[in-house]
Each structure stands twice: as structure tokens, then as C-alpha cells.
């Protein structure tokens, strides 16, 4: 924390020396007041954005005209600098979303903001700053921010009057950029996901955030139970997101409808391709391990998606609260996947390379060697080779059985 404050203090000092006011602001001050290490460094200043560019050449301007922020990279963190040029610090704080974020801290330690803001920090109370109707009219996304903070900030709870007020912005929320909605959803699910989803449902915002999600009351309660388990296990985001699209339960895998819904929803959020893909695959195969599954099908998943996904799938299947009669199959399939993961970890020591296959069987380079290698990979996953010699013996039988050495490219 000391290094972070020292770096930020140098930025504030440069602003002062150039004749401008600069202060720490928003969530950073809230966290410092609570004795927590700030995750982000936010600075508010009276300098216009174009002046910031000349004062700090290493930074860059982001955001649409009129809502720009100046992003300045430092060794310890990125600093977001907001300008209130033409206004004042007091007016800037009045327009902040929540009372606990309407605070500023000057370089010499002076705290700026209302007594109400300070009281709310120490009471752990989250409510809109000033008239909630005004704050939501300025930016409907603040409804999601309230619920996100309630889920992500330890020791804080949303004020009931503010929560009820969020119901009024349901129709406006879809007009907000998907990336902004996606950021709030990501942070909300990363905290107390059951609380975040329950508050979305209470305020009617669940439909606005996930417009094509059809879920019954009974299934929503099951979703909350699943999210509670995943939270207790400190499960990663893609497992928590996958749970949202896993109800109602499909009888047989793959659940392509649920996977497609997950992909489309998360794409509008601007989430990364890898995160979307992992989430959709968990939805697609969520029931797989509850079924009688051939070793070939499990080997295909292990070969394509790797041990990490297989471990996620086992964990996700366990979190879905399976009926007692399905648990033996989950246990059996999990043990099979574990054995395959161990075999896959030894592939480099056991399996011959493409070049070794070319030399051993005197075949031309190209797809034939690749095909043989894939057959060896699959056989190793399903049954396991004791050593490299056993792998070559298997490939010898494959070439003799199929006449592959006689194929021409």
C-alpha cells in the first residue's frame, strides 16, 4: 500500500505544481478508509484532459467525448484520472453514484466528502448518493453497480429503499453498452454470486441482463444453491457463469441450446473468447458425467479440451446437486478422467513424435504421420501404454491392419 500511495502522491504533486487540484477519489478512498488495500487507483483533478496528456506523456485518453478518462500506467498499477475541469470537486462528488464512493482524499491527508458518506462507509451501507432517481436517470447502469457492490464488497449491504428503486430502470438498462453490463455481471458473479443473482431477480433486472433466460422459480432456487456451492469452493468465473445457463436441466448431453444461449449472452457482454468458450462447453456437457459414457467419448473430450477442462467439468457436475442415483456414474466417470489426465501428462515421454513415426515406418511426411499420432494419443488415453516400445507396437499393428504405409499423399 505504501508504494501505491507514494506513486499516486507523485501524480498529485505534479498536478499541484502545474497549478491544478488533484485528489484520490471514489472507491480507492472508501477502501483506504476501511483499512483495505485498494484494487484500483482513481484520481480526480481540475486539469482538462488535454492538459493531462502534456503533463503525463505516458498516458492515454479513453472513452467517448465528454466522458473521457486518462489512463496512466505506473509500475504498481494503472491510474485512472478523471477531470472535473469547469466545475469543482464538491460538484463532482455530488454526482457520484453511491455515498460510499462520494469521497476524496487530498495529498496531505484531508478527507473531502459529506458526513453521510463517511457514516455509510463505517455502517457498511450502500445507497445512492443524493436523489436516487437523479443518479439512475443520469446512468441506469448504476442499478447494477449497487447490486454488484453489495455482492463484491465484504461487510457492505444494499439499502432496501435503493434496491426497490432499481426496479424503475428495468426498461432502460438494455440501452446501456453491453460491455459495461458485462463488467458489472463479471464482478458481481466474482463476489457473492447467489446474492447478486437474487437481487437481480428481486429488482426485475435479471430479465434485462439475461433477456432470453427462461427459468422457473424452482429452477432459480436450484441455481442459487449451485452458486452457493461454487462460491464456497471459490470456483472460477466460468463455472459460476455456466450455472446460470444450466437450468432447466436437459436429459441428455450435449445441451446445444443452453450452450448457444450462453455464447450469445456472453458475447454481448464483451467477455473474452476463451472465457465464453469454456463457459459454453461446461453448459454443453453439464450432464455428461451423470450418464453411462464410453471411454472413447471421454478420451475425445480429454484429447480436444485437456485435463483442465475435464477437472472443471467434474467440479461443475458435483456442484449441480445430482440425485443420489446418478452419483455412482459421476464417480466412475471422474475416476476414468483422472486416469486419462495422468496418461496425458506422460505423453511426451511415452508417445513417439511425428518425425520418429516417419522414420520408423518409412512413410512420406504429411497427414498420415499426424493420423497415426492421433490414434496413438487416443489409445494411450483410453488404455495407456506401459512404455515407448508398447506405443510403437500399437502403431505397427495399426499400419499393418489398415495398409496405411501404402497410402499416397
Amino acid at each position: 500500500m505504501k508504494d501505491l500511495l507514494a506513486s499516486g502522491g507523485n501524480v498529485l504533486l505534479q498536478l499541484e505544481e502545474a497549478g491544478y487540484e488533484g485528489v484520490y477519489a471514489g472507491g480507492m478512498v472508501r477502501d483506504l478508509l476501511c483499512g483495505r488495500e485498494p484494487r484500483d487507483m482513481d484520481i480526480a483533478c481540475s486539469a482538462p484532459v488535454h492538459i493531462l496528456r502534456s503533463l503525463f506523456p505516458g498516458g492515454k485518453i479513453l472513452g467517448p467525448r465528454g466522458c473521457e478518462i486518462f489512463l496512466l500506467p505506473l509500475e504498481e498499477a494503472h491510474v485512472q484520472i478523471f477531470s472535473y475541469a469547469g466545475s469543482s470537486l464538491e460538484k463532482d462528488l455530488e454526482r457520484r453514484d453511491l455515498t460510499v464512493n462520494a469521497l476524496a482524499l487530498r495529498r496531505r491527508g484531508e478527507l473531502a466528502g459529506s458526513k453521510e458518506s463517511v457514516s455509510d462507509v463505517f455502517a457498511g451501507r450502500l445507497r445512492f448518493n443524493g436523489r436516487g432517481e437523479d443518479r439512475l436517470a443520469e446512468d441506469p447502469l448504476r442499478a447494477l453497480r449497487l447490486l454488484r457492490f453489495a455482492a463484491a464488497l465484504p461487510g457492505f449491504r444494499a439499502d432496501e429503499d435503493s434496491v426497490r428503486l432499481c426496479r424503475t430502470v428495468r426498461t432502460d438498462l438494455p440501452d446501456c453498452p453491453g460491455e459495461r453490463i458485462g463488467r458489472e455481471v463479471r464482478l458481481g458473479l466474482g463476489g457473492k454470486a447467489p446474492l447478486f443473482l437474487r437481487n437481480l431477480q428481486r429488482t426485475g433486472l435479471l430479465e434485462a441482463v439475461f433477456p432470453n433466460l427462461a427459468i422457473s422459480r424452482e429452477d432459480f432456487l436450484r441455481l442459487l444453491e449451485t452458486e452457493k456451492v461454487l462460491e464456497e469452493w471459490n470456483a472460477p468465473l466460468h463455472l459460476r457463469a455456466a450455472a446460470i445457463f444450466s437450468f432447466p436441466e436437459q436429459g441428455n448431453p450435449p445441451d446445444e441450446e443452453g450452450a448457444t444461449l450462453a455464447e450469445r449472452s456472453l458475447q454481448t457482454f464483451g467477455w473474452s473468447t476463451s472465457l465464453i468458450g469454456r463457459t459454453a462447453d461446461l453448459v454443453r456437457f453439464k450432464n455428461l458425467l451423470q450418464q453411462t459414457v464410453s471411454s472413447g467419448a471421454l478420451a475425445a473430450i480429454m484429447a480436444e479440451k485437456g485435463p483442465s477442462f475435464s477437472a472443471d467439468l467434474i467440479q461443475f457436475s458435483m456442484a449441480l446437486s445430482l440425485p443420489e442415483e446418478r452419483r455412482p456414474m459421476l464417480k466412475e466417470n471422474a475416476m476414468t478422467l483422472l486416469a486419462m489426465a495422468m496418461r496425458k501428462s506422460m505423453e511426451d515421454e511415452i508417445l513417439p513424435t511425428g518425425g520418429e513415426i516417419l522414420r520408423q515406418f518409412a512413410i512420406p511426411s504429411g497427414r498420415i504421420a499426424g493420423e497415426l499420432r492421433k490414434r496413438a494419443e487416443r489409445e494411450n488415453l483410453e488404455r495407456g501404454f506401459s512404455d515407448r516400445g508398447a506405443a510403437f507396437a500399437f502403431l505397427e499393428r495399426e499400419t499393418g491392419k489398415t495398409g496405411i504405409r501404402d497410402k499416397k499423399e
Side-chain angles (χ1 to χ4, degrees), residues 257-293:
E257 184 178 345
T260 299
L261 176 58
E263 287 175 345
R264 289 176 178 171
S265 298
L266 303 185
Q267 283 167 357
T268 66
F269 292 166
W271 288 13
S272 70
T273 302
S274 60
L275 179 56
I276 294 172
R278 181 65 69 95
T279 301
D281 279 337
L282 284 170
V283 177
R284 180 175 287 111
F285 296 116
K286 64 179 183 290
N287 293 332
L288 180 69
L289 303 187
Q290 305 174 25
Q291 320 284 332
T292 299
V293 187

Side-chain angles (χ1 to χ4, degrees), residues 1-251:
M1 183 183 295
K2 180 180 177 181
D3 291 341
L4 186 67
L5 291 177
S7 298
N10 289 331
V11 175
L12 299 184
L13 182 59
Q14 282 184 260
L15 286 165
E16 288 179 17
E17 290 176 342
Y20 298 102
E21 181 179 41
V23 295
Y24 297 124
M28 179 181 182
V29 182
R30 178 200 66 228
D31 290 344
L32 288 170
L33 201 55
C34 291
R36 299 194 186 101
E37 184 83 29
R39 294 186 177 182
D40 303 303
M41 184 187 293
D42 293 339
I43 288 176
C45 71
S46 60
V49 175
H50 70 276
I51 295 295
L52 293 175
R53 178 182 283 167
S54 62
L55 288 175
F56 307 103
K60 59 182 178 180
I61 299 173
L62 300 176
R65 188 172 184 83
C67 300
E68 301 99 330
I69 64 169
F70 189 78
L71 189 67
L72 178 62
L74 296 179
E75 290 183 9
E76 297 82 8
H78 282 81
V79 181
Q80 294 187 97
I81 306 179
F82 302 83
S83 171
Y84 53 83
S87 183
S88 66
L89 176 60
E90 290 70 23
K91 291 293 184 184
D92 178 75
L93 294 180
E94 286 176 6
R95 291 192 294 267
R96 297 271 169 163
D97 54 0
L98 306 177
T99 56
V100 296
N101 293 335
L103 290 166
L105 182 65
R106 293 189 168 91
R107 185 170 63 86
R108 294 173 182 81
E110 179 188 353
L111 190 66
S114 69
K115 292 181 180 179
E116 183 182 67
S117 291
V118 176
S119 296
D120 283 354
V121 169
F122 285 98
R125 181 168 49 239
L126 296 169
R127 55 175 167 165
F128 292 117
N129 186 34
R131 290 187 74 251
E133 294 87 348
D134 294 339
R135 300 291 82 79
L136 292 173
E138 292 163 355
D139 185 359
L141 194 79
R142 286 171 169 169
L144 274 189
R145 284 175 62 80
L146 174 76
L147 305 186
R148 182 260 286 186
F149 279 122
L153 279 181
F156 282 80
R157 296 185 64 181
D159 170 70
E160 280 301 314
D161 288 340
S162 293
V163 171
R164 283 192 290 269
L165 193 58
C166 290
R167 296 186 66 88
T168 66
V169 303
R170 283 181 295 172
T171 56
D172 294 333
L173 195 60
D175 295 331
C176 295
E179 292 80 3
R180 294 188 66 208
I181 294 175
R183 181 177 186 275
E184 300 304 323
V185 171
R186 184 176 70 248
L187 294 172
L189 291 178
K192 298 175 182 176
L195 175 61
F196 180 65
L197 292 171
R198 190 184 306 116
N199 279 335
L200 284 179
Q201 194 269 343
R202 285 179 58 202
T203 56
L205 292 173
L206 188 68
E207 271 183 49
V209 174
F210 302 104
N212 296 309
L213 186 68
I215 185 166
S216 68
R217 175 177 174 78
E218 180 182 353
D219 283 333
F220 185 72
L221 293 176
R222 292 181 62 202
L223 167 60
L224 295 182
E225 286 298 316
T226 301
E227 294 287 5
K228 182 178 179 181
V229 172
L230 293 172
E231 180 190 333
E232 290 172 351
W233 293 349
N234 197 27
L237 177 61
H238 52 274
L239 269 74
R240 301 185 190 204
I244 296 172
F245 305 98
S246 294
F247 300 95
E249 185 177 357
Q250 296 282 339

